[in-house]
Amino acid sequence: MRLTIPEHEIMTPGHLACQGCGGSLGMRYALKVFGKNTMLSIPACCWAVIDGPFPYTSVNVPLFHTAFETAAIMASGIKAGLMVQGKDTTNVIAWAGDGGTFDIGLQAISGAAERNDDITYIVYDNEAYMNTGIQRSSATPHGAWTTTTPVKHYKKGPKKNMVEIMAAHRIPYTATASVGYPEDFCKKLEKAKNTKGFKFLHLLAPCPTGWKYDPRYTIKLAKLAVQTNYFPLYEIIDGIHYKQTMKVKERKPIKEYLKYQGRFKHLHEDEVQFFQDFIDENYGILRTKLE
Amino acid sequence: MVIKFQNNDKPVRITGAKDMPPMPAALGSMRQNKTGSWRNVRPVIDYDKCIKCFICWKFCPEPAIKIVDELPVIDYDYCKGCLMCAEECPKDAIGFEKEGK
Ligand SMILES: Cc1ncc(C[n+]2csc(CCOP(=O)(O)OP(=O)(O)O)c2C)c(N)n1
Ligand code: SF4
Ligand code: SF4
Ligand code: SF4
Ligand SMILES: [Mg+2]
């Protein structure tokens, strides 16, 4: 028997995520690699609900529920407290949604990153505020429907480039990952676990409920996002050394990715072409930085 | 006081103040929540077709696929019926049937 990711499970079934939730799969992988000697800081987001109501948990490690904007600062505080107690080896993960990271939590992350606090920040990006009913965030891609960007006024403007913002802090480790490529994600988790200082992982986590697709396609979409260059997989060491961890030989047209998702159903040919051009341009910029 | 965590599928019984932890802390596991009841469709593995690649196990978000004697086994107490396993199985070894009731 050959398994490509660690066999043992820390997260238990029985949790409250929707069928086919990419975010719950991401946590399963993260805990496999980080292990029992880990503490989580989770702000308001789907995961604050997924874990289960008091007195229950599904993560099986200490989880601190914190306010929407405070995932990073709470993780820094937990780490500082552990250090004072001499528990230097305990890993601390801030695990937050895109709203809690790209939007309201931005100043707290920036502070923790600038201080180079020894924590791992993982954003599971489902590209909107899902927990409160699918409102747009600054991680929502151009063209997408959400309840606050209805079809007639779909989201205009690109997704905020959070990875570049984090790299600009010159933190030791920044990476993108997708739940469709768990081996790659686990390698990056391993690196984050073994690196001192502030680590940032941007995990694409498809959400059938918010993206309006059949839950069976979660992995398909998580892979297509990479294969279309919409979400390239790469890592950045010390904020300057870029390395692509998954090379895409021939990128697939973005249409392949969009067609499964109800949130893009309204887009016409020319709007899809605009999307395609934007992706190609973006990827071109990234390519100039790759080593 | 030591907080006792129960990692089993039994609900926690809080009968009074004496059973409460001194600080907000989890006492029990979400295993007591049998999410199998959410399921509309039931994935079924055809072991004649299965090549034991464990791709289904790898991608189950619950996780509700266990490895028993080197075979993938679906735990219907928890499987929510998302069919990600069926979609990703390279041998089409996972079919599905409508859930009764
Ligand atoms: C200060 C504050 N504003 C608003 C809310 C309400 N709220 C809770 S979760 C949430 C959205 C979370 O979105 P995201 O971080 O993307 O996580 P997701 O739910 O998508 O997993 C909002 C707006 C809150 N809890 N606190
Ligand atoms: S709304 Fe999306 S991210 Fe939230 S639990 Fe459901 S599938 Fe997961
Ligand atoms: S994915 Fe299919 S072939 Fe592979 S172990 Fe699962 S059932 Fe068997
Ligand atoms: S249908 Fe979904 S929940 Fe059920 S075993 Fe397959 S992947 Fe897991
Ligand atoms: Mg979100």
Side-chain angles (χ1 to χ4, degrees):
Chain A
M1 189 170 80
R2 208 183 75 85
L3 299 175
T4 51
I5 58 170
E7 180 174 2
H8 67 277
E9 305 286 357
I10 292 181
M11 189 179 100
T12 66
H15 61 70
L16 299 179
C18 313
Q19 294 154 313
C21 172
S24 62
L25 189 53
M27 178 66 89
R28 181 182 165 218
Y29 299 145
L31 290 177
K32 273 176 181 286
V33 175
F34 268 74
K36 274 293 234 181
N37 189 13
T38 300
M39 288 179 76
L40 291 166
S41 155
I42 300 189
C45 61
C46 277
W47 249 105
V49 179
I50 295 171
D51 181 58
F54 178 81
Y56 300 105
T57 182
S58 48
V59 289
N60 269 318
V61 296
L63 186 172
F64 199 104
H65 287 275
T66 185
F68 197 14
E69 61 276 42
T70 61
I73 187 63
M74 194 54 75
S76 297
I78 292 170
K79 184 71 191 183
L82 287 167
M83 297 287 278
V84 167
Q85 294 179 24
K87 298 173 183 166
D88 301 19
T89 57
T90 303
N91 310 300
V92 181
I93 300 178
W95 178 275
D98 49 293
T101 304
F102 290 57
D103 296 340
I104 197 169
L106 190 59
Q107 52 81 18
I109 304 180
S110 180
E114 189 271 333
R115 291 187 304 271
N116 201 22
D117 289 341
D118 187 19
I119 59 171
T120 301
Y121 193 106
I122 305 177
V123 49
Y124 70 99
D125 182 6
N126 51 24
E127 305 193 313
Y129 292 47
M130 296 308 178
N131 183 42
T132 41
I134 326 174
Q135 294 86 19
R136 65 92 97 183
S137 77
S138 57
T140 304
H142 176 87
W145 162 94
T146 66
T147 54
T148 46
T149 50
V151 167
K152 268 196 171 163
H153 305 277
Y154 63 72
K155 162 86 190 278
K156 303 276 180 356
K159 184 183 174 85
K160 186 187 282 182
N161 195 333
M162 193 63 200
V163 171
E164 284 294 319
I165 293 172
M166 294 319 292
H169 289 74
R170 302 291 300 269
I171 52 175
Y173 192 69
T174 312
T176 63
S178 160
V179 295
Y181 294 102
E183 294 82 4
D184 175 79
F185 182 38
C186 285
K187 261 189 226 153
K188 287 165 176 168
L189 286 162
E190 196 68 53
K191 279 188 197 165
K193 188 180 168 187
N194 295 320
T195 302
K196 268 236 168 299
F198 195 89
K199 288 82 60 176
F200 180 79
L201 299 181
H202 182 183
L203 176 69
L204 186 71
C207 163
T209 308
W211 297 8
K212 304 291 171 207
Y213 66 85
D214 184 329
R216 68 186 295 150
Y217 297 131
T218 293
I219 299 303
K220 196 184 197 102
L221 289 174
K223 285 186 171 166
L224 276 171
V226 176
Q227 293 162 357
T228 53
N229 282 343
Y230 169 69
F231 200 86
L233 297 183
Y234 60 105
E235 56 189 13
I236 311 171
I237 313 294
D238 296 330
I240 45 176
H241 302 293
Y242 286 65
K243 194 180 143 235
Q244 194 165 22
T245 58
M246 181 142 318
K247 297 227 163 46
V248 179
K249 274 203 205 94
E250 210 168 314
R251 72 126 178 80
K252 292 189 174 154
I254 192 63
K255 236 196 307 197
E256 292 287 301
Y257 175 66
L258 304 181
K259 74 177 182 200
Y260 291 96
Q261 306 176 52
R263 64 175 174 157
F264 294 116
K265 206 172 59 194
H266 54 277
L267 294 184
H268 299 299
E269 271 309 284
D270 52 331
E271 287 155 331
V272 171
Q273 190 55 48
F274 180 85
F275 206 130
Q276 183 67 66
D277 294 344
F278 178 72
I279 288 173
D280 292 342
E281 182 189 30
N282 240 3
Y283 186 69
I285 296 169
L286 176 65
R287 252 185 43 194
T288 62
K289 298 178 185 170
L290 294 172
E291 291 180 353
Chain B
M1 178 185 173
V2 179
I3 298 171
K4 278 204 205 108
F5 178 82
Q6 302 168 15
N7 190 3
N8 58 30
D9 55 8
K10 304 249 163 30
V12 172
R13 296 256 172 266
I14 296 176
T15 56
K18 67 174 179 14
D19 299 325
M20 293 294 283
M23 60 182 106
L27 299 172
S29 166
M30 279 301 276
R31 282 183 177 284
Q32 51 81 33
N33 183 38
K34 301 283 170 64
T35 50
S37 64
W38 298 16
R39 200 170 51 238
N40 299 321
V41 285
R42 166 185 288 252
V44 181
I45 300 177
D46 177 349
Y47 290 104
D48 291 334
K49 289 191 191 166
C50 173
I51 54 164
K52 303 179 201 171
C53 65
F54 298 102
I55 287 175
C56 53
W57 166 83
K58 185 170 76 177
F59 287 132
C60 178
E62 303 313 319
I65 300 184
K66 296 190 227 169
I67 300 176
V68 183
D69 297 332
E70 310 228 334
L71 279 175
V73 176
I74 298 174
D75 185 344
Y76 294 108
D77 277 352
Y78 299 106
C79 164
K80 291 175 186 166
C82 65
L83 296 185
M84 278 162 65
C85 53
E87 180 66 29
E88 297 307 318
C89 173
K91 291 289 160 193
D92 273 332
I94 308 182
F96 61 92
E97 46 198 52
K98 265 215 149 16
E99 204 54 76
K101 287 183 281 162

